[in-house]
Amino acid sequence: MFTKYFQKRSNRLALLLLVFISLLIIPAIPSLLLINIPQSKQLDLKYPEKLYGEKIIGFEINSNENINAVGVSIKNANLQNKNNIYLRAYNENGSLLGESMVSGYSVGDGDFVKFKFPKAMENNGNTKLEFSSPTSMGSNAFEIYMTNENTPSYQIFTNSNKLDLSYKQIKLFINHFMADKLFVMYYLVILICLSTIILL
Amino acid sequence: MKKIFNIPVSSKFLALALLIRFLVMPFFYHPDIKTYHFQSSFLKKGVINIYKYLLDNRAKLPIKEEFVYLPGAYLFLGGYQFIVNPIMGQGFDNWLADASQESFNAVGFNRYLFVLKLPYLLFDFLTLVVLLRFIKKDKLKKKLALIWLFNPFTIALLYVFSNIDVVATFFLLYSVLILRKRTFIAGLIMGLAASIKLYPIIALPFILVSLGSIRKALLYIVGVLTSFLIIVMPFWSKEFVASAFVSGLTTRITSFGLSLGFGDNIFIPIVLLALIFLYYQSASKKLPLITVLSALFIILVSAIHYHIQWLYWGIPFLVITAVKKNMDLKYLSALLLFGFFVPMLYMDKYMNVGVMVPFSSLYMYLPTLNTAFSKFIDPGMVMGTIHSIFLSFSLFYVYKIFSKKIK
């Protein structure tokens, strides 16, 4: 059946178009599933800072985007600590913008852990973020990787319009691919030659 | 019709098969290709005993894994890199050594993937050429060629998950092809296969039985040992034994068993393999070696926790058997679909959308299927159910191919 179908040139053209279009569309589909988009690279992991009891690790960020998650790397030696870790976000006036909780059960040793807020936080000024784990003890404390004395090695995640994002991803992909000009030239010549053989 | 390399399909089909492969090669990525090419890159820097080198320098290397393949794989991959180094450009070694996600954004990422996968393309087509020599009828040859060229399973295994298994499988297949006429050479080629990945050794008892005489079996074993030892001996060290011989396969075969108490166990995969062997020994005159090898590999893989790449081991044998025995391809397709679906449920990003990171590095932030399932149901239960169906399909398919006569 396939060989008969393949004999007609119009069918071969349709098949060829289908193959090429699939290559553009299929990889763009997962971008529709993206909820948390990283807005920055994670800062360098310099040293771990203990988090337990009354201790709070706080820092400020300035972002005009709608933050819906913050990720940090956390040490949980021997996966011993099963207590909760909280991340609370406040605006400049000290009003609570959002709260996120992660259970120690899901924190591996050295894991990058995302604290997701129930809804994206809209804040145009500085946002103060505070980590705490009041029920943890010093002996089995979580340790948050810091990039300097005051700032954990964090990464911010925001959400955005899915179609915009898909379009942006396709554009980024094409730009990135085209940057290797020599390879692209040879690669396209090969594809054109093969397509010609199929169609002629 | 003009035939290229005696492949009985028109040049248009071959061009389409090549086009599909070329479209997949630079745009899908599994980190294994980078890990073992990073390790093999030391060959061009003059390192011979890679096993010792990686252990001695673990602290300062960005990728800290041991080299788990055999020396043949190191020589093959390292040798290939030596040849293609001039077209890879200066950034290639830096890209190999970059274990961070930044490496997805390197200019040249698509070129590296394309060039590193070219040997698999060669062995893909060589495998087809060898497969065709198992079949005499022209009509069946054409059917086999079309199945091989356009089945999505081997395309995904070779060009998405790209691993070196295709090279070892090709040599095993070629060894089986020339087994009766050139037994010693077949043994040498089998040794070559085993010096790349150890798994072809599992087929050895079946091959020896098929030879039918002790003299020929000895000749074959001498061939195997000769090439295997020539390649492996220069690497022999305690580091080599610790890295390459304690394979994932050995561990996994002995993971699924019944405890009899007192430290004694019955390992189910070994029971199944032994049963296939005993059946073959009693029916070797009626049962082609190819058929029993397809049974061997599909049962082995479906009865253990497997790497997706291991599915490839049995596919060439399954395809010849399916074509020769005129099997219903629906069963084989369903069997392989289940086989593909199980690893997609592992807690591994690179078993699903992660392989598309060349399109967007953001895909690394998407949850795995396992995580997605965990919101509704225990993913282990889903995986276990599908794996059980996969094993059942394998057993049923083996029953069908054992009971059906060649037309």
Side-chain angles (χ1 to χ4, degrees), chain A residues 112-129:
Chain A
F112 179 76
V113 182
K114 255 197 270 182
F115 290 79
K116 295 171 191 168
F117 295 103
K119 58 177 188 176
M121 295 180 296
E122 291 176 27
N123 187 31
N124 289 326
N126 286 351
T127 304
K128 188 162 191 213
L129 295 157

Side-chain angles (χ1 to χ4, degrees), chain B residues 284-357:
Chain B
S284 62
K285 290 202 171 72
K286 287 179 271 176
L287 202 61
L289 178 61
I290 285 290
T291 307
V292 83
L293 290 184
S294 47
L296 167 73
F297 288 123
I298 200 66
I299 294 283
L300 170 67
V301 171
S302 58
I304 58 175
H305 179 76
Y306 56 97
H307 189 297
I308 194 164
Q309 196 62 34
W310 299 354
L311 277 174
Y312 185 82
W313 300 348
I315 293 181
F317 302 100
L318 284 165
V319 169
I320 312 175
T321 309
V323 172
K324 274 190 156 185
K325 297 200 169 193
N326 197 23
M327 301 296 292
D328 189 345
L329 290 178
K330 279 192 296 233
Y331 284 118
L332 184 56
S333 308
L335 168 71
L336 292 174
L337 263 181
F338 284 118
F340 258 72
F341 201 50
V342 174
M344 285 173 81
L345 286 164
Y346 296 166
M347 272 292 274
D348 181 351
K349 282 195 189 283
Y350 290 105
M351 280 297 133
N352 27 83
V353 283
V355 294
M356 289 197 229
V357 288

Side-chain angles (χ1 to χ4, degrees), chain A residues 31-39 65-69 120 157-169, chain B residues 362:
Chain A
S31 65
L32 298 172
L33 301 170
L34 282 166
I35 299 165
N36 303 312
I37 323 287
Q39 286 305 315
E65 305 269 359
N66 298 334
I67 299 167
N68 64 346
F157 295 83
T158 61
N159 61 9
S160 77
N161 182 297
K162 290 188 187 307
L163 282 179
D164 280 356
L165 186 71
S166 295
Y167 173 70
K168 203 171 141 191
Q169 290 316 304
Chain B
L362 292 184

Side-chain angles (χ1 to χ4, degrees), chain B residues 59-83:
Chain B
K60 62 179 182 191
L61 292 173
I63 296 173
K64 305 196 185 298
E65 288 172 39
E66 296 164 3
F67 190 70
V68 292
Y69 296 143
L70 276 99
Y74 179 61
L75 296 173
F76 177 82
L77 297 168
Y80 178 67
Q81 264 192 56
F82 192 79
I83 296 165

Side-chain angles (χ1 to χ4, degrees), chain A residues 2-3 6 12 15-16 19-20 23 27-28 30-31 33-34 37-38 41 114 155 157 165 169 173 176-177 179-180 182-183 187 190-191 194-195 197-198 200, chain B residues 10-13 15-16 18-20 22-24 26-28 102 104-111 114 142 146 150 353 356 358-363 365-366:
Chain A
F2 183 51
T3 44
F6 208 66
R12 292 202 299 272
L15 194 66
L16 208 55
V19 168
F20 278 105
L23 181 77
S31 65
L33 301 170
L34 282 166
I37 323 287
K41 286 180 200 167
K114 255 197 270 182
Q155 191 174 23
F157 295 83
L165 186 71
Q169 290 316 304
F173 158 65
H176 177 236
F177 175 60
D180 189 0
L182 192 66
F183 170 68
Y187 184 68
I190 294 171
L191 295 192
L194 290 172
S195 304
I197 295 171
I198 295 166
L200 286 181
Chain B
S10 72
S11 54
K12 291 183 186 359
F13 276 117
L16 182 64
L18 267 177
L19 184 82
I20 293 170
F22 281 159
L23 287 173
V24 175
F27 302 122
F28 289 86
E102 277 303 292
F104 305 144
N105 300 321
V107 174
F109 185 26
N110 303 107
R111 176 203 301 226
F114 184 82
K142 190 171 178 178
L146 288 173
F150 296 104
V353 283
M356 289 197 229
F359 291 97
S360 168
S361 52
L362 292 184
Y363 289 176
Y365 298 99
L366 283 171

Side-chain angles (χ1 to χ4, degrees), chain A residues 118-193:
Chain A
K119 58 177 188 176
M121 295 180 296
E122 291 176 27
N123 187 31
N124 289 326
N126 286 351
T127 304
K128 188 162 191 213
L129 295 157
E130 288 183 354
F131 286 103
S132 62
S133 181
T135 48
S136 296
M137 311 289 283
S139 55
N140 64 349
F142 291 110
E143 293 177 77
I144 294 187
Y145 277 95
M146 308 292 283
T147 196
N148 61 44
E149 210 179 310
N150 304 315
T151 322
S153 169
Y154 67 87
Q155 191 174 23
I156 296 171
F157 295 83
T158 61
N159 61 9
S160 77
N161 182 297
K162 290 188 187 307
L163 282 179
D164 280 356
L165 186 71
S166 295
Y167 173 70
K168 203 171 141 191
Q169 290 316 304
I170 292 173
K171 221 169 104 178
L172 274 174
F173 158 65
I174 291 171
N175 287 344
H176 177 236
F177 175 60
M178 298 300 268
D180 189 0
K181 290 186 181 65
L182 192 66
F183 170 68
V184 171
M185 195 176 74
Y186 283 113
Y187 184 68
L188 291 180
V189 167
I190 294 171
L191 295 192
I192 291 166
C193 289

